[in-house]
PDB file of all heavy atoms in Angstrom:
ATOM      1  N   TYR A   1      71.844   5.900 -92.385  1.00  0.00           N
ATOM      2  CA  TYR A   1      72.818   5.632 -91.385  1.00  0.00           C
ATOM      3  C   TYR A   1      73.138   6.902 -90.641  1.00  0.00           C
ATOM      4  O   TYR A   1      74.293   6.941 -90.074  1.00  0.00           O
ATOM      5  CB  TYR A   1      74.113   4.974 -92.067  1.00  0.00           C
ATOM      6  CG  TYR A   1      73.726   3.699 -92.836  1.00  0.00           C
ATOM      7  CD1 TYR A   1      73.699   3.897 -94.307  1.00  0.00           C
ATOM      8  CD2 TYR A   1      73.467   2.560 -92.253  1.00  0.00           C
ATOM      9  CE1 TYR A   1      73.394   2.654 -94.931  1.00  0.00           C
ATOM     10  CE2 TYR A   1      73.183   1.377 -92.939  1.00  0.00           C
ATOM     11  CZ  TYR A   1      73.133   1.456 -94.300  1.00  0.00           C
ATOM     12  OH  TYR A   1      72.812   0.300 -94.982  1.00  0.00           O
ATOM     13  N   HIS A   2      72.206   7.696 -90.345  1.00  0.00           N
ATOM     14  CA  HIS A   2      72.467   8.903 -89.613  1.00  0.00           C
ATOM     15  C   HIS A   2      71.401   9.173 -88.576  1.00  0.00           C
ATOM     16  O   HIS A   2      70.217   8.772 -88.795  1.00  0.00           O
ATOM     17  CB  HIS A   2      72.464  10.087 -90.500  1.00  0.00           C
ATOM     18  CG  HIS A   2      73.827  10.224 -91.307  1.00  0.00           C
ATOM     19  ND1 HIS A   2      73.874   9.393 -92.468  1.00  0.00           N
ATOM     20  CD2 HIS A   2      74.880  10.998 -91.336  1.00  0.00           C
ATOM     21  CE1 HIS A   2      75.077   9.610 -93.051  1.00  0.00           C
ATOM     22  NE2 HIS A   2      75.606  10.550 -92.377  1.00  0.00           N
ATOM     23  N   ALA A   3      71.675   9.894 -87.534  1.00  0.00           N
ATOM     24  CA  ALA A   3      70.678  10.444 -86.698  1.00  0.00           C
ATOM     25  C   ALA A   3      70.373  11.753 -87.181  1.00  0.00           C
ATOM     26  O   ALA A   3      71.260  12.495 -87.739  1.00  0.00           O
ATOM     27  CB  ALA A   3      71.182  10.401 -85.227  1.00  0.00           C
ATOM     28  N   ILE A   4      69.266  12.216 -87.043  1.00  0.00           N
ATOM     29  CA  ILE A   4      68.710  13.549 -87.534  1.00  0.00           C
ATOM     30  C   ILE A   4      68.081  14.399 -86.322  1.00  0.00           C
ATOM     31  O   ILE A   4      67.268  13.821 -85.711  1.00  0.00           O
ATOM     32  CB  ILE A   4      67.695  13.415 -88.754  1.00  0.00           C
ATOM     33  CG1 ILE A   4      68.365  12.714 -89.872  1.00  0.00           C
ATOM     34  CG2 ILE A   4      67.252  14.921 -89.168  1.00  0.00           C
ATOM     35  CD1 ILE A   4      69.540  13.222 -90.519  1.00  0.00           C
ATOM     36  N   GLY A   5      68.599  15.510 -86.247  1.00  0.00           N
ATOM     37  CA  GLY A   5      68.055  16.428 -85.195  1.00  0.00           C
ATOM     38  C   GLY A   5      67.496  17.729 -85.733  1.00  0.00           C
ATOM     39  O   GLY A   5      67.983  18.264 -86.766  1.00  0.00           O
ATOM     40  N   TRP A   6      66.504  18.212 -85.077  1.00  0.00           N
ATOM     41  CA  TRP A   6      65.943  19.513 -85.339  1.00  0.00           C
ATOM     42  C   TRP A   6      66.259  20.445 -84.132  1.00  0.00           C
ATOM     43  O   TRP A   6      66.064  20.082 -83.052  1.00  0.00           O
ATOM     44  CB  TRP A   6      64.431  19.606 -85.511  1.00  0.00           C
ATOM     45  CG  TRP A   6      64.068  19.128 -86.918  1.00  0.00           C
ATOM     46  CD1 TRP A   6      63.620  17.965 -87.268  1.00  0.00           C
ATOM     47  CD2 TRP A   6      63.980  19.873 -88.145  1.00  0.00           C
ATOM     48  NE1 TRP A   6      63.256  17.844 -88.614  1.00  0.00           N
ATOM     49  CE2 TRP A   6      63.575  19.080 -89.163  1.00  0.00           C
ATOM     50  CE3 TRP A   6      64.300  21.201 -88.449  1.00  0.00           C
ATOM     51  CZ2 TRP A   6      63.355  19.619 -90.473  1.00  0.00           C
ATOM     52  CZ3 TRP A   6      64.146  21.683 -89.743  1.00  0.00           C
ATOM     53  CH2 TRP A   6      63.756  20.875 -90.756  1.00  0.00           C
ATOM     54  N   PHE A   7      66.864  21.615 -84.380  1.00  0.00           N
ATOM     55  CA  PHE A   7      67.300  22.476 -83.413  1.00  0.00           C
ATOM     56  C   PHE A   7      66.700  23.914 -83.704  1.00  0.00           C
ATOM     57  O   PHE A   7      66.325  24.112 -84.836  1.00  0.00           O
ATOM     58  CB  PHE A   7      68.846  22.624 -83.348  1.00  0.00           C
ATOM     59  CG  PHE A   7      69.583  21.388 -82.956  1.00  0.00           C
ATOM     60  CD1 PHE A   7      69.779  20.417 -83.899  1.00  0.00           C
ATOM     61  CD2 PHE A   7      69.980  21.111 -81.717  1.00  0.00           C
ATOM     62  CE1 PHE A   7      70.439  19.220 -83.634  1.00  0.00           C
ATOM     63  CE2 PHE A   7      70.640  19.944 -81.387  1.00  0.00           C
ATOM     64  CZ  PHE A   7      70.815  19.010 -82.345  1.00  0.00           C
ATOM     65  N   ARG A   8      66.631  24.747 -82.695  1.00  0.00           N
ATOM     66  CA  ARG A   8      66.157  26.129 -82.926  1.00  0.00           C
ATOM     67  C   ARG A   8      67.014  27.086 -82.124  1.00  0.00           C
ATOM     68  O   ARG A   8      67.502  26.668 -80.987  1.00  0.00           O
ATOM     69  CB  ARG A   8      64.655  26.285 -82.624  1.00  0.00           C
ATOM     70  CG  ARG A   8      64.323  26.064 -81.261  1.00  0.00           C
ATOM     71  CD  ARG A   8      62.791  26.073 -81.041  1.00  0.00           C
ATOM     72  NE  ARG A   8      62.299  25.928 -79.775  1.00  0.00           N
ATOM     73  CZ  ARG A   8      60.982  25.890 -79.390  1.00  0.00           C
ATOM     74  NH1 ARG A   8      60.076  25.804 -80.350  1.00  0.00           N
ATOM     75  NH2 ARG A   8      60.698  25.751 -78.064  1.00  0.00           N
ATOM     76  N   GLN A   9      67.257  28.270 -82.616  1.00  0.00           N
ATOM     77  CA  GLN A   9      67.957  29.244 -82.017  1.00  0.00           C
ATOM     78  C   GLN A   9      67.153  30.583 -82.087  1.00  0.00           C
ATOM     79  O   GLN A   9      66.873  31.095 -83.148  1.00  0.00           O
ATOM     80  CB  GLN A   9      69.297  29.477 -82.683  1.00  0.00           C
ATOM     81  CG  GLN A   9      70.106  30.584 -82.133  1.00  0.00           C
ATOM     82  CD  GLN A   9      70.712  30.238 -80.761  1.00  0.00           C
ATOM     83  OE1 GLN A   9      71.590  29.219 -80.762  1.00  0.00           O
ATOM     84  NE2 GLN A   9      70.420  30.825 -79.662  1.00  0.00           N
ATOM     85  N   ALA A  10      66.743  31.028 -80.876  1.00  0.00           N
ATOM     86  CA  ALA A  10      66.086  32.374 -80.767  1.00  0.00           C
ATOM     87  C   ALA A  10      67.017  33.413 -80.327  1.00  0.00           C
ATOM     88  O   ALA A  10      67.925  33.097 -79.564  1.00  0.00           O
ATOM     89  CB  ALA A  10      64.835  32.207 -79.893  1.00  0.00           C
ATOM     90  N   PRO A  11      66.780  34.681 -80.657  1.00  0.00           N
ATOM     91  CA  PRO A  11      67.700  35.751 -80.172  1.00  0.00           C
ATOM     92  C   PRO A  11      67.801  35.813 -78.665  1.00  0.00           C
ATOM     93  O   PRO A  11      66.769  35.671 -78.069  1.00  0.00           O
ATOM     94  CB  PRO A  11      67.064  37.004 -80.818  1.00  0.00           C
ATOM     95  CG  PRO A  11      66.325  36.504 -81.971  1.00  0.00           C
ATOM     96  CD  PRO A  11      65.731  35.173 -81.611  1.00  0.00           C
ATOM     97  N   GLY A  12      68.950  35.841 -78.246  1.00  0.00           N
ATOM     98  CA  GLY A  12      69.256  36.002 -76.805  1.00  0.00           C
ATOM     99  C   GLY A  12      69.068  34.542 -76.056  1.00  0.00           C
ATOM    100  O   GLY A  12      69.056  34.576 -74.833  1.00  0.00           O
ATOM    101  N   LYS A  13      68.822  33.481 -76.750  1.00  0.00           N
ATOM    102  CA  LYS A  13      68.552  32.214 -76.092  1.00  0.00           C
ATOM    103  C   LYS A  13      69.673  31.241 -76.540  1.00  0.00           C
ATOM    104  O   LYS A  13      70.217  31.308 -77.721  1.00  0.00           O
ATOM    105  CB  LYS A  13      67.229  31.682 -76.335  1.00  0.00           C
ATOM    106  CG  LYS A  13      66.123  32.633 -75.722  1.00  0.00           C
ATOM    107  CD  LYS A  13      64.759  31.896 -75.848  1.00  0.00           C
ATOM    108  CE  LYS A  13      63.720  32.706 -75.215  1.00  0.00           C
ATOM    109  NZ  LYS A  13      62.385  32.125 -75.400  1.00  0.00           N
ATOM    110  N   GLU A  14      69.863  30.190 -75.741  1.00  0.00           N
ATOM    111  CA  GLU A  14      70.651  29.087 -76.150  1.00  0.00           C
ATOM    112  C   GLU A  14      70.013  28.172 -77.213  1.00  0.00           C
ATOM    113  O   GLU A  14      68.804  28.172 -77.376  1.00  0.00           O
ATOM    114  CB  GLU A  14      70.889  28.148 -74.927  1.00  0.00           C
ATOM    115  CG  GLU A  14      71.759  28.876 -73.798  1.00  0.00           C
ATOM    116  CD  GLU A  14      73.156  29.105 -74.159  1.00  0.00           C
ATOM    117  OE1 GLU A  14      73.773  28.265 -74.949  1.00  0.00           O
ATOM    118  OE2 GLU A  14      73.832  29.998 -73.599  1.00  0.00           O
ATOM    119  N   ARG A  15      70.816  27.575 -78.052  1.00  0.00           N
ATOM    120  CA  ARG A  15      70.336  26.614 -79.007  1.00  0.00           C
ATOM    121  C   ARG A  15      69.655  25.455 -78.285  1.00  0.00           C
ATOM    122  O   ARG A  15      70.229  24.967 -77.323  1.00  0.00           O
ATOM    123  CB  ARG A  15      71.470  26.132 -79.839  1.00  0.00           C
ATOM    124  CG  ARG A  15      71.007  25.303 -81.132  1.00  0.00           C
ATOM    125  CD  ARG A  15      72.176  24.808 -81.945  1.00  0.00           C
ATOM    126  NE  ARG A  15      73.115  23.974 -81.174  1.00  0.00           N
ATOM    127  CZ  ARG A  15      74.339  23.709 -81.663  1.00  0.00           C
ATOM    128  NH1 ARG A  15      74.729  24.090 -82.805  1.00  0.00           N
ATOM    129  NH2 ARG A  15      75.121  22.892 -80.995  1.00  0.00           N
ATOM    130  N   GLU A  16      68.531  25.084 -78.720  1.00  0.00           N
ATOM    131  CA  GLU A  16      67.756  24.116 -78.245  1.00  0.00           C
ATOM    132  C   GLU A  16      67.499  22.956 -79.092  1.00  0.00           C
ATOM    133  O   GLU A  16      67.206  23.197 -80.301  1.00  0.00           O
ATOM    134  CB  GLU A  16      66.431  24.669 -77.677  1.00  0.00           C
ATOM    135  CG  GLU A  16      65.377  23.680 -77.024  1.00  0.00           C
ATOM    136  CD  GLU A  16      64.047  24.273 -76.775  1.00  0.00           C
ATOM    137  OE1 GLU A  16      63.765  25.260 -77.372  1.00  0.00           O
ATOM    138  OE2 GLU A  16      63.371  23.700 -75.992  1.00  0.00           O
ATOM    139  N   ARG A  17      67.596  21.716 -78.662  1.00  0.00           N
ATOM    140  CA  ARG A  17      67.302  20.545 -79.500  1.00  0.00           C
ATOM    141  C   ARG A  17      65.804  20.395 -79.374  1.00  0.00           C
ATOM    142  O   ARG A  17      65.169  20.101 -78.238  1.00  0.00           O
ATOM    143  CB  ARG A  17      67.866  19.383 -78.980  1.00  0.00           C
ATOM    144  CG  ARG A  17      67.814  18.232 -79.977  1.00  0.00           C
ATOM    145  CD  ARG A  17      68.378  16.882 -79.514  1.00  0.00           C
ATOM    146  NE  ARG A  17      67.699  16.275 -78.392  1.00  0.00           N
ATOM    147  CZ  ARG A  17      67.981  15.225 -77.814  1.00  0.00           C
ATOM    148  NH1 ARG A  17      69.233  14.557 -78.043  1.00  0.00           N
ATOM    149  NH2 ARG A  17      67.207  14.752 -76.883  1.00  0.00           N
ATOM    150  N   VAL A  18      65.035  20.534 -80.486  1.00  0.00           N
ATOM    151  CA  VAL A  18      63.620  20.357 -80.488  1.00  0.00           C
ATOM    152  C   VAL A  18      63.129  18.974 -80.638  1.00  0.00           C
ATOM    153  O   VAL A  18      62.291  18.505 -79.868  1.00  0.00           O
ATOM    154  CB  VAL A  18      63.138  21.208 -81.680  1.00  0.00           C
ATOM    155  CG1 VAL A  18      61.570  21.024 -81.830  1.00  0.00           C
ATOM    156  CG2 VAL A  18      63.379  22.646 -81.581  1.00  0.00           C
ATOM    157  N   SER A  19      63.811  18.203 -81.507  1.00  0.00           N
ATOM    158  CA  SER A  19      63.497  16.852 -81.739  1.00  0.00           C
ATOM    159  C   SER A  19      64.639  16.119 -82.441  1.00  0.00           C
ATOM    160  O   SER A  19      65.544  16.714 -82.989  1.00  0.00           O
ATOM    161  CB  SER A  19      62.197  16.744 -82.546  1.00  0.00           C
ATOM    162  OG  SER A  19      61.825  15.394 -82.871  1.00  0.00           O
ATOM    163  N   CYS A  20      64.679  14.785 -82.344  1.00  0.00           N
ATOM    164  CA  CYS A  20      65.594  14.014 -82.998  1.00  0.00           C
ATOM    165  C   CYS A  20      65.167  12.601 -83.282  1.00  0.00           C
ATOM    166  O   CYS A  20      64.214  12.078 -82.708  1.00  0.00           O
ATOM    167  CB  CYS A  20      67.021  13.866 -82.278  1.00  0.00           C
ATOM    168  SG  CYS A  20      66.854  13.167 -80.654  1.00  0.00           S
ATOM    169  N   THR A  21      65.751  12.006 -84.220  1.00  0.00           N
ATOM    170  CA  THR A  21      65.531  10.559 -84.475  1.00  0.00           C
ATOM    171  C   THR A  21      66.795   9.795 -84.749  1.00  0.00           C
ATOM    172  O   THR A  21      67.606  10.320 -85.423  1.00  0.00           O
ATOM    173  CB  THR A  21      64.492  10.358 -85.684  1.00  0.00           C
ATOM    174  OG1 THR A  21      64.341   8.955 -86.078  1.00  0.00           O
ATOM    175  CG2 THR A  21      65.116  10.983 -87.052  1.00  0.00           C
ATOM    176  N   SER A  22      66.986   8.774 -84.041  1.00  0.00           N
ATOM    177  CA  SER A  22      68.248   7.997 -84.108  1.00  0.00           C
ATOM    178  C   SER A  22      68.190   7.114 -85.314  1.00  0.00           C
ATOM    179  O   SER A  22      67.202   6.896 -86.073  1.00  0.00           O
ATOM    180  CB  SER A  22      68.391   7.213 -82.895  1.00  0.00           C
ATOM    181  OG  SER A  22      67.508   6.019 -82.840  1.00  0.00           O
ATOM    182  N   SER A  23      69.362   6.423 -85.630  1.00  0.00           N
ATOM    183  CA  SER A  23      69.576   5.560 -86.667  1.00  0.00           C
ATOM    184  C   SER A  23      68.559   4.252 -86.437  1.00  0.00           C
ATOM    185  O   SER A  23      68.264   3.659 -87.537  1.00  0.00           O
ATOM    186  CB  SER A  23      70.950   5.071 -86.827  1.00  0.00           C
ATOM    187  OG  SER A  23      71.415   4.291 -85.666  1.00  0.00           O
ATOM    188  N   GLY A  24      68.317   4.016 -85.293  1.00  0.00           N
ATOM    189  CA  GLY A  24      67.299   2.870 -85.034  1.00  0.00           C
ATOM    190  C   GLY A  24      65.877   3.231 -85.045  1.00  0.00           C
ATOM    191  O   GLY A  24      64.955   2.520 -84.608  1.00  0.00           O
ATOM    192  N   GLY A  25      65.680   4.559 -85.402  1.00  0.00           N
ATOM    193  CA  GLY A  25      64.252   5.013 -85.468  1.00  0.00           C
ATOM    194  C   GLY A  25      63.580   5.569 -84.263  1.00  0.00           C
ATOM    195  O   GLY A  25      62.387   5.786 -84.346  1.00  0.00           O
ATOM    196  N   ARG A  26      64.386   5.561 -83.069  1.00  0.00           N
ATOM    197  CA  ARG A  26      63.740   6.144 -81.948  1.00  0.00           C
ATOM    198  C   ARG A  26      63.588   7.599 -82.036  1.00  0.00           C
ATOM    199  O   ARG A  26      64.583   8.351 -82.500  1.00  0.00           O
ATOM    200  CB  ARG A  26      64.638   5.692 -80.643  1.00  0.00           C
ATOM    201  CG  ARG A  26      64.017   5.772 -79.363  1.00  0.00           C
ATOM    202  CD  ARG A  26      62.840   4.842 -79.248  1.00  0.00           C
ATOM    203  NE  ARG A  26      63.271   3.462 -79.358  1.00  0.00           N
ATOM    204  CZ  ARG A  26      63.646   2.795 -78.292  1.00  0.00           C
ATOM    205  NH1 ARG A  26      63.638   3.253 -77.052  1.00  0.00           N
ATOM    206  NH2 ARG A  26      64.071   1.591 -78.469  1.00  0.00           N
ATOM    207  N   ILE A  27      62.586   8.139 -81.566  1.00  0.00           N
ATOM    208  CA  ILE A  27      62.156   9.574 -81.635  1.00  0.00           C
ATOM    209  C   ILE A  27      62.125  10.205 -80.213  1.00  0.00           C
ATOM    210  O   ILE A  27      61.671   9.667 -79.330  1.00  0.00           O
ATOM    211  CB  ILE A  27      60.934   9.791 -82.347  1.00  0.00           C
ATOM    212  CG1 ILE A  27      61.018   9.353 -83.842  1.00  0.00           C
ATOM    213  CG2 ILE A  27      60.414  11.183 -82.223  1.00  0.00           C
ATOM    214  CD1 ILE A  27      59.767   9.240 -84.599  1.00  0.00           C
ATOM    215  N   TYR A  28      62.705  11.376 -80.169  1.00  0.00           N
ATOM    216  CA  TYR A  28      62.597  12.153 -78.908  1.00  0.00           C
ATOM    217  C   TYR A  28      62.217  13.574 -79.144  1.00  0.00           C
ATOM    218  O   TYR A  28      62.441  14.157 -80.275  1.00  0.00           O
ATOM    219  CB  TYR A  28      64.011  12.186 -78.142  1.00  0.00           C
ATOM    220  CG  TYR A  28      64.509  10.802 -77.912  1.00  0.00           C
ATOM    221  CD1 TYR A  28      65.264  10.080 -78.818  1.00  0.00           C
ATOM    222  CD2 TYR A  28      64.183  10.224 -76.639  1.00  0.00           C
ATOM    223  CE1 TYR A  28      65.738   8.849 -78.464  1.00  0.00           C
ATOM    224  CE2 TYR A  28      64.734   8.991 -76.344  1.00  0.00           C
ATOM    225  CZ  TYR A  28      65.405   8.257 -77.334  1.00  0.00           C
ATOM    226  OH  TYR A  28      65.866   7.035 -76.912  1.00  0.00           O
ATOM    227  N   TYR A  29      61.584  14.209 -78.165  1.00  0.00           N
ATOM    228  CA  TYR A  29      61.002  15.561 -78.326  1.00  0.00           C
ATOM    229  C   TYR A  29      61.334  16.264 -77.050  1.00  0.00           C
ATOM    230  O   TYR A  29      61.384  15.740 -75.973  1.00  0.00           O
ATOM    231  CB  TYR A  29      59.509  15.616 -78.500  1.00  0.00           C
ATOM    232  CG  TYR A  29      59.032  14.977 -79.756  1.00  0.00           C
ATOM    233  CD1 TYR A  29      58.536  13.784 -79.794  1.00  0.00           C
ATOM    234  CD2 TYR A  29      59.002  15.756 -80.970  1.00  0.00           C
ATOM    235  CE1 TYR A  29      57.966  13.186 -80.931  1.00  0.00           C
ATOM    236  CE2 TYR A  29      58.623  15.128 -82.072  1.00  0.00           C
ATOM    237  CZ  TYR A  29      58.078  13.836 -82.143  1.00  0.00           C
ATOM    238  OH  TYR A  29      57.610  13.297 -83.248  1.00  0.00           O
ATOM    239  N   ALA A  30      61.649  17.603 -77.279  1.00  0.00           N
ATOM    240  CA  ALA A  30      61.876  18.472 -76.091  1.00  0.00           C
ATOM    241  C   ALA A  30      60.535  18.614 -75.417  1.00  0.00           C
ATOM    242  O   ALA A  30      59.408  18.625 -76.009  1.00  0.00           O
ATOM    243  CB  ALA A  30      62.402  19.858 -76.582  1.00  0.00           C
ATOM    244  N   ASP A  31      60.566  18.804 -74.094  1.00  0.00           N
ATOM    245  CA  ASP A  31      59.292  18.792 -73.283  1.00  0.00           C
ATOM    246  C   ASP A  31      58.470  20.154 -73.892  1.00  0.00           C
ATOM    247  O   ASP A  31      57.189  20.101 -73.844  1.00  0.00           O
ATOM    248  CB  ASP A  31      59.603  19.088 -71.832  1.00  0.00           C
ATOM    249  CG  ASP A  31      59.978  17.904 -71.252  1.00  0.00           C
ATOM    250  OD1 ASP A  31      59.804  16.733 -71.807  1.00  0.00           O
ATOM    251  OD2 ASP A  31      60.652  17.860 -70.108  1.00  0.00           O
ATOM    252  N   SER A  32      59.114  21.115 -74.274  1.00  0.00           N
ATOM    253  CA  SER A  32      58.418  22.351 -74.745  1.00  0.00           C
ATOM    254  C   SER A  32      57.627  22.086 -76.025  1.00  0.00           C
ATOM    255  O   SER A  32      56.701  23.019 -76.297  1.00  0.00           O
ATOM    256  CB  SER A  32      59.473  23.518 -74.952  1.00  0.00           C
ATOM    257  OG  SER A  32      60.405  23.121 -75.939  1.00  0.00           O
ATOM    258  N   VAL A  33      57.857  21.110 -76.761  1.00  0.00           N
ATOM    259  CA  VAL A  33      57.156  21.002 -78.018  1.00  0.00           C
ATOM    260  C   VAL A  33      56.404  19.659 -78.043  1.00  0.00           C
ATOM    261  O   VAL A  33      55.641  19.288 -78.953  1.00  0.00           O
ATOM    262  CB  VAL A  33      57.982  20.949 -79.239  1.00  0.00           C
ATOM    263  CG1 VAL A  33      58.913  22.301 -79.250  1.00  0.00           C
ATOM    264  CG2 VAL A  33      59.061  19.795 -79.246  1.00  0.00           C
ATOM    265  N   LYS A  34      56.544  18.692 -77.012  1.00  0.00           N
ATOM    266  CA  LYS A  34      55.923  17.521 -76.996  1.00  0.00           C
ATOM    267  C   LYS A  34      54.355  17.603 -77.164  1.00  0.00           C
ATOM    268  O   LYS A  34      53.807  18.431 -76.427  1.00  0.00           O
ATOM    269  CB  LYS A  34      56.362  16.728 -75.776  1.00  0.00           C
ATOM    270  CG  LYS A  34      56.015  15.190 -75.724  1.00  0.00           C
ATOM    271  CD  LYS A  34      56.649  14.551 -74.478  1.00  0.00           C
ATOM    272  CE  LYS A  34      58.199  14.682 -74.517  1.00  0.00           C
ATOM    273  NZ  LYS A  34      58.980  13.984 -73.329  1.00  0.00           N
ATOM    274  N   GLY A  35      53.792  16.756 -78.021  1.00  0.00           N
ATOM    275  CA  GLY A  35      52.367  16.819 -78.204  1.00  0.00           C
ATOM    276  C   GLY A  35      51.991  17.828 -79.288  1.00  0.00           C
ATOM    277  O   GLY A  35      50.797  17.823 -79.754  1.00  0.00           O
ATOM    278  N   ARG A  36      52.877  18.705 -79.677  1.00  0.00           N
ATOM    279  CA  ARG A  36      52.617  19.690 -80.641  1.00  0.00           C
ATOM    280  C   ARG A  36      53.368  19.483 -82.079  1.00  0.00           C
ATOM    281  O   ARG A  36      52.939  19.737 -83.168  1.00  0.00           O
ATOM    282  CB  ARG A  36      52.920  21.099 -80.256  1.00  0.00           C
ATOM    283  CG  ARG A  36      52.054  21.527 -79.050  1.00  0.00           C
ATOM    284  CD  ARG A  36      52.196  22.981 -78.618  1.00  0.00           C
ATOM    285  NE  ARG A  36      53.596  23.251 -78.305  1.00  0.00           N
ATOM    286  CZ  ARG A  36      54.369  24.165 -78.938  1.00  0.00           C
ATOM    287  NH1 ARG A  36      53.926  24.807 -79.949  1.00  0.00           N
ATOM    288  NH2 ARG A  36      55.591  24.384 -78.458  1.00  0.00           N
TER     289      ARG A  36
END
């Protein structure tokens, strides 16, 4: 009953959402990692 997200934080950069999956199973990817 949760959405799950993966985030990353690099030195000197803003926190970025890499990927997430919603409670309904829908999946999203950041453009920078899509396909990888």
Side-chain angles (χ1 to χ4, degrees):
Y1 301 104
H2 291 75
I4 305 297
W6 282 99
F7 298 80
R8 64 187 182 187
Q9 178 76 62
K13 295 186 177 181
E14 297 286 334
R15 186 179 64 192
E16 176 187 20
R17 191 185 74 183
V18 174
S19 180
C20 62
T21 179
S22 73
S23 63
R26 196 67 61 91
I27 295 173
Y28 299 90
Y29 297 99
D31 289 341
S32 58
V33 307
K34 195 171 297 182
R36 300 187 298 119

